[in-house]
């Protein structure tokens, strides 16, 4: 099904029945894109297992409507080529400079 593999940015959601968590992960990873995934569950450990197996830059648990400015917003595969938000997002657009000054001592 095309909608399940394409990257869409509209009020669209693909829903499909699966027989197991393993099948869900396999189908979720079967895409050239990997910006975000959302896992809806009451079990936090289950969400953690999904997040480790999913090939996405961001994983939501029980939501998909909020970007935390403290967390990096990043995609993998053919989605996104960098990082935005958080201190990690600034690293790509800033350059550090070290200053080592020896000040004259006062006598």
């Amino acid at each position: 099904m095309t909608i399940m593999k394409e990257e869409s940015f509209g009020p669209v959601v693909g829903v499909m029945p699966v027989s197991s968590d393993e099948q869900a992960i396999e189908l979720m990873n079967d895409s050239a894109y990997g910006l975000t995934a959302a896992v809806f569950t009451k079990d936090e450990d289950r969400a953690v297992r999904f997040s480790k197996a999913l090939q996405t830059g961001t994983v939501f648990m029980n939501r998909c409507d909020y970007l935390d400015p403290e967390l990096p917003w990043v995609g993998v595969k053919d989605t996104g080529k960098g990082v935005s938000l958080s201190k990690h997002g600034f690293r790509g657009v800033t350059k550090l400079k070290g200053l080592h000054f020896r000040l004259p001592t006062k006598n």
Side-chain angles (χ1 to χ4, degrees):
M1 214 184 306
T2 303
I3 192 171
M4 302 306 268
K5 291 187 177 188
E6 291 299 316
E7 188 171 48
S8 58
F9 293 98
V12 176
V13 62
V15 178
M16 147 183 247
V18 294
S19 60
S20 66
D21 287 357
E22 291 74 23
Q23 184 188 24
I25 291 166
E26 182 182 340
L27 290 168
M28 292 169 80
N29 286 336
D30 185 26
S31 173
Y33 305 104
L35 184 58
T36 62
V39 177
F40 290 85
T41 179
K42 294 178 183 177
D43 184 343
E44 185 178 352
D45 291 334
R46 186 179 187 200
V48 169
R49 285 192 305 273
F50 264 80
S51 69
K52 290 179 179 180
L54 290 173
Q55 299 167 1
T56 62
T58 302
V59 178
F60 290 100
M61 177 183 167
N62 296 335
R63 69 180 314 162
C64 58
D65 60 345
Y66 179 74
L67 296 179
D68 186 331
E70 294 293 318
L71 297 175
W73 181 252
V74 58
V76 298
K77 301 182 183 181
D78 289 339
T79 298
K81 301 299 179 196
V83 179
S84 62
L85 298 178
S86 80
K87 65 182 180 182
H88 304 286
F90 287 103
R91 288 186 178 147
V93 295
T94 58
K95 183 159 178 69
L96 297 176
K97 180 182 279 191
L99 302 176
H100 298 266
F101 292 2
R102 173 179 257 161
L103 298 175
T105 58
K106 295 182 181 178
N107 292 337

